[in-house]
Amino acid sequence: MSFLRRLIPLTAIACLLLPGSPGVARAGAPPSRCGPAEGTITSLGPASVTNALGNAEFVGDTMYVVTRGLSPNVVGAYDVAADKVTAHHDLPTGIGAWAMTRIGTDVYVGTHVPSDLYKLDTLTGRVTKVAAFDDHFIWNITASPDGKVYLGMSESGRVVEYDPATGATRDLGVASPGEQYVRSIAADADTVYAGVGAHAHLVAIDRATGARKEILPAELATRDFVASMAMNATHLAMGISSQGELLVLNKADPGDYRIARAPGEKYVTSVAFLGEYVYFTGRPTGTLYRYRLATGEVEALGVPYPEGGTPSLLAHDGRIWGIQDGAVFVYDPATAGLEYRNLVSRGLRAGPEQPMNVFADGRYVYLGGKGGMQVHDASGGSRRVGVPGEPKSMVEVGGRVYLGVYTQALLYGHEPGSDTASLLARIGNRQDRPRDMAYDPRTGLIVVATQPEPGQEGGALSLYDPGTGALDVRRPAVPGQSVYSVATWNGTAYLGTYIQEGFGLPPKTGTARLAAYDLRGRRLLWQVEPVPGAAYIADVVRLRGRVYGVSDTGVFFEVDPERRKVTRTAKVGGFGGDLAVQAGRVYGVSGEAVSRGDRVYRMDLTDFTAHTLADGLAGDWFDGAKLAADPAGCGLYTLRERDLVRIATGRE
């Protein structure tokens, strides 16, 4: 992450301004006083609060919705007739849930990390864990007409049957050999249909014998995922990624099919049958569509929330119901009315989530999360700024905060103090996950590192000019790898790589690299492998003529960029996390689990040892431990469990 940022000091959160400064600390000068002693921890409350939804099912007139990313996750009971949430049911395990189905009055929920299967008896409100699996994700589940539950898994790519009558499970094996994801699933009396990725397959599995048959039309064989699925008595309807296609296929004759496309969409995120139509939602626009089965005509019906993702569509009481982050929309075919209902105002419980990142701009502290970011201010309060997606990286330039947003690798801009963020650019080029951002004052460029979509090769380095809006995407930036972290200095970007390209592909290389990239010449200058066997370089910074970084394996290293040589290394933890530079010092966060930040340390660059500032934090991060420097030079921001904390860096 770049440490060359023009930042305005915090008032109550940060330390005091330098004498004589009306509002900006002098670059490179240490603060005159910083208040608390080094290592003092101040809690600033829950870091990021949301109620993002993963799936939904109807039992009678009650819609049961399940959250993802909370602690604990809950199933909320939304009475659609009374228009209020009437009950909450806690799920003891899992960082979230995408999977839900119904058998009679029982609702089944599949969690991820760990993958547990729960039964909610909606008559008694009792929640029972009925099965547990070694897979990281239960992506989706479905119920057969005779009351079996079928689960689609990753990263094993297998299908599993659960029998509620006996409690037994049966492994139906890998749906498509070599593929890691079963992202969509449906079952009738005889067959389980599994939608697979990261290379698209549609597999029909005989429920009795386990025999399988590939039935995806040949013209879709180059696609990424069969990502969403619905079924009626005669047909399957599926969303195909990543060209925004809807496949409608006759179950009795798979050769009888139609493919429809919604212009401008990449993904069909959810599908549902109602009468003579298939209803479906698209991204990036967030539009609700319907497809007429008799004619193949596609009609756009409206946009419930611009650019919003819709994990689930349901047909109930002659209407179409969709869920989004903390909300429900309802489409009535009789009136063509489209209604948006915020479930928070109807009683849905919010909770602290696992944040994606942390950033401080001198006035506010920002934490990216699901469907937006939490913004903490100097008064000790916080508010939510909605963003359609997950802000995973941030940088400040000229008083504006820029956000790298997953999915679709989007670039948003946010004016500090406002309640909105606006879309500035789409990186495209099959990129998906913004891993890091940095600003280079010499070239005036924001540098964005991205990982490609699942199943795709070639991570990119995107160069954005905030003055003109010009965007230049360089793919691949480092052949055979993605870029995970980036720092800039005087027209050069230093890139820490990740051996994983798109998820679902086997890595081509065995060790992550540090690379130098010429931002003016737009070319790769050199590469080294600083830590043998490292899968990724968690973060990099440049200070006093050296490049410093830390690997996923917890090895801190120093590189002389002139000689292109690793000069020193030291073990600082089980897993490496973010680094931050403040007042000429390098700080880091490390953990004993890849997603947790257990210790914040200061690296002594003379004797090359790590000195602990705070320990036992158990910071509950999503996808790696994060750290941000107080721009006034007095403290660092990270998590203790799911609370935002400020750790004092002491007097100078």
Side-chain angles (χ1 to χ4, degrees), residues 32-345:
S32 60
R33 51 192 183 275
C34 278
E38 182 181 64
T40 301
I41 300 175
T42 303
S43 178
L44 302 174
S48 186
V49 177
T50 187
N51 48 16
L53 302 179
N55 213 320
E57 277 289 345
F58 270 101
V59 177
D61 281 335
T62 300
M63 174 189 276
Y64 289 88
V65 296
V66 64
T67 64
R68 52 191 176 90
L70 306 191
S71 179
N73 287 288
V74 300
V75 177
Y78 171 50
D79 185 326
V80 300
D83 194 24
K84 65 179 181 180
V85 175
T86 58
H88 293 88
H89 308 279
D90 290 352
L91 300 177
T93 60
I95 65 171
W98 289 110
M100 207 173 201
T101 194
R102 175 181 66 89
I103 298 175
T105 57
D106 293 332
V107 172
Y108 289 85
V109 181
T111 67
H112 51 266
V113 193
S115 289
D116 294 330
L117 181 64
Y118 286 93
K119 182 182 81 171
L120 166 61
D121 182 333
T122 64
L123 300 181
T124 66
R126 183 181 179 188
V127 175
T128 306
K129 185 166 80 171
V130 296
F133 305 94
D134 292 335
D135 309 79
H136 284 151
F137 284 80
I138 301 172
W139 271 111
N140 220 326
I141 60 178
T142 191
S144 63
D146 59 342
K148 301 285 200 316
V149 177
Y150 291 90
L151 306 90
M153 305 293 202
S154 77
E155 290 85 11
S156 65
R158 66 190 181 122
V159 174
V160 177
E161 177 191 85
Y162 169 76
D163 186 347
T166 65
T169 60
R170 180 168 68 114
D171 188 351
L172 296 179
V174 176
S176 185
E179 300 300 332
Q180 297 181 3
Y181 303 89
V182 177
R183 290 290 292 267
S184 58
I185 196 164
D188 60 20
D190 304 308
T191 307
V192 180
Y193 299 93
V196 173
H199 303 95
H201 296 268
L202 176 61
V203 183
I205 304 173
D206 187 291
R207 290 180 54 198
T209 67
R212 63 203 64 229
K213 181 169 61 174
E214 295 263 3
I215 60 173
L216 186 72
E219 63 206 88
L220 298 176
T222 60
R223 305 302 190 262
D224 300 338
F225 282 94
V226 178
S228 54
M229 188 181 298
M231 183 176 67
N232 68 6
T234 58
H235 286 79
L236 289 169
M238 290 149 286
I240 310 296
S241 300
S242 297
Q243 295 186 27
E245 293 156 309
L246 177 75
L247 168 65
V248 180
L249 180 146
N250 186 336
K251 292 192 296 177
D253 178 12
D256 176 15
Y257 63 87
R258 284 181 177 171
I259 300 170
R261 194 166 191 274
E265 305 290 10
K266 284 177 60 68
Y267 310 109
V268 172
T269 57
S270 55
V271 289
F273 284 92
L274 179 60
E276 61 178 316
Y277 295 99
V278 176
Y279 290 80
F280 65 98
T281 53
R283 288 195 82 184
T285 72
T287 301
L288 174 67
Y289 300 89
R290 67 181 176 189
Y291 167 94
R292 187 186 292 270
L293 287 165
T295 65
E297 176 190 6
V298 174
E299 177 185 5
L301 303 175
V303 181
Y305 186 83
E307 303 175 47
T310 304
S312 179
L313 278 181
L314 301 168
H316 174 73
D317 193 28
R319 293 179 287 177
I320 290 293
W321 302 73
I323 61 164
Q324 295 186 334
D325 287 330
V328 166
F329 66 82
V330 190
Y331 176 77
D332 189 340
T335 64
L338 183 59
E339 181 184 359
Y340 196 79
R341 303 182 183 182
N342 185 314
L343 291 190
V344 178
S345 62

Side-chain angles (χ1 to χ4, degrees), residues 412-480:
Y412 272 74
H414 169 72
E415 302 300 331
S418 74
D419 292 324
T420 61
S422 56
L423 178 64
L424 301 176
R426 301 179 186 274
I427 289 173
N429 287 274
R430 306 307 302 268
Q431 300 301 292
D432 197 28
R433 194 179 300 263
R435 286 293 188 179
D436 200 4
M437 300 170 68
Y439 174 63
D440 179 51
R442 175 58 63 93
T443 59
L445 295 173
I446 294 174
V447 182
V448 187
T450 54
Q451 185 175 357
E453 296 172 353
Q456 297 299 309
E457 299 178 346
L461 198 67
S462 298
L463 311 178
Y464 179 79
D465 186 330
T468 66
L471 176 69
D472 182 16
V473 181
R474 298 287 168 149
R475 177 193 181 203
V478 178

Side-chain angles (χ1 to χ4, degrees), residues 313-568:
L313 278 181
L314 301 168
H316 174 73
D317 193 28
R319 293 179 287 177
I320 290 293
W321 302 73
I323 61 164
Q324 295 186 334
D325 287 330
V328 166
F329 66 82
V330 190
Y331 176 77
D332 189 340
T335 64
L338 183 59
E339 181 184 359
Y340 196 79
R341 303 182 183 182
N342 185 314
L343 291 190
V344 178
S345 62
R346 290 160 170 83
L348 182 63
R349 183 198 304 168
E353 66 173 329
Q354 291 180 303
M356 311 285 174
N357 73 317
V358 61
F359 175 71
D361 72 349
R363 284 179 283 177
Y364 303 98
V365 182
Y366 306 83
L367 293 110
K370 294 175 174 64
M373 61 181 175
Q374 200 81 16
V375 182
H376 292 251
D377 61 30
S379 70
S382 72
R383 69 185 191 280
R384 193 77 175 177
V385 175
V387 180
E390 299 174 357
K392 288 187 177 290
S393 54
M394 302 180 193
V395 71
E396 185 271 343
V397 181
R400 189 185 217 187
V401 176
Y402 294 82
L403 318 173
V405 177
Y406 167 86
T407 58
Q408 305 173 75
L410 306 176
L411 189 64
Y412 272 74
H414 169 72
E415 302 300 331
S418 74
D419 292 324
T420 61
S422 56
L423 178 64
L424 301 176
R426 301 179 186 274
I427 289 173
N429 287 274
R430 306 307 302 268
Q431 300 301 292
D432 197 28
R433 194 179 300 263
R435 286 293 188 179
D436 200 4
M437 300 170 68
Y439 174 63
D440 179 51
R442 175 58 63 93
T443 59
L445 295 173
I446 294 174
V447 182
V448 187
T450 54
Q451 185 175 357
E453 296 172 353
Q456 297 299 309
E457 299 178 346
L461 198 67
S462 298
L463 311 178
Y464 179 79
D465 186 330
T468 66
L471 176 69
D472 182 16
V473 181
R474 298 287 168 149
R475 177 193 181 203
V478 178
Q481 301 193 349
S482 297
V483 183
Y484 197 94
S485 51
V486 57
T488 61
W489 179 267
N490 200 28
T492 299
Y494 296 96
L495 314 177
T497 72
Y498 186 16
I499 63 172
Q500 180 68 60
E501 295 182 276
F503 288 122
L505 293 179
K508 297 175 182 175
T509 57
T511 301
R513 304 169 192 158
L514 175 71
Y517 189 90
D518 182 351
L519 295 174
R520 285 164 289 200
R522 310 288 167 97
R523 62 191 181 93
L524 198 62
L525 298 174
W526 51 263
Q527 306 175 56
V528 296
E529 294 182 347
V531 181
Y536 59 86
I537 305 302
D539 207 358
V540 289
V541 296
R542 192 183 189 281
L543 181 66
R544 299 171 186 163
R546 295 290 187 265
V547 177
Y548 298 96
V550 66
S551 69
D552 64 309
T553 55
V555 175
F556 188 94
F557 60 86
E558 177 186 74
V559 169
D560 181 341
E562 295 299 322
R563 293 188 292 159
R564 306 174 186 181
K565 181 180 178 181
V566 179
T567 50
R568 291 185 290 179

